[in-house]
Amino acid sequence: MRLVEYSPGYVADHWCDRGHIIHVVAGTLVSELKDGRRTELKAGMSYMVSDFGDAAHRSVTETGATLFIVD
């Protein structure tokens, strides 16, 4: 488990195949999937991706976000 703060303009530098449970504590986060799908998550929203089962993903935020992540 970890608490992560992304600054405004953050774009992950890689596509991740690992599973996570992510809860947005503050701000807005966009989860981009390598297949082109995008989901916007606001404070109070959560999502889960599985190890090597879902499309690879990365996080992007224009305004910054604080996330609680379980790997």
Side-chain angles (χ1 to χ4, degrees):
M1 293 185 296
R2 54 196 163 115
L3 188 66
V4 177
E5 291 188 41
Y6 291 144
S7 58
Y10 174 82
V11 177
D13 63 356
H14 66 284
W15 292 101
C16 182
D17 286 310
R18 303 300 268 174
H20 313 285
I21 298 170
I22 295 179
H23 178 76
V24 181
V25 176
T28 302
L29 177 80
V30 174
S31 177
E32 294 184 335
L33 300 182
K34 199 169 186 178
D35 65 10
R37 290 179 286 166
R38 295 171 50 98
T39 302
E40 183 177 87
L41 300 143
K42 297 181 180 185
M45 297 175 76
S46 302
Y47 78 99
M48 179 177 73
V49 292
S50 64
D51 280 341
F52 303 104
D54 296 316
H57 56 278
R58 69 178 178 183
S59 295
V60 176
T61 179
E62 289 183 18
T63 59
T66 302
L67 310 175
F68 179 73
I69 303 173
V70 178
D71 294 317

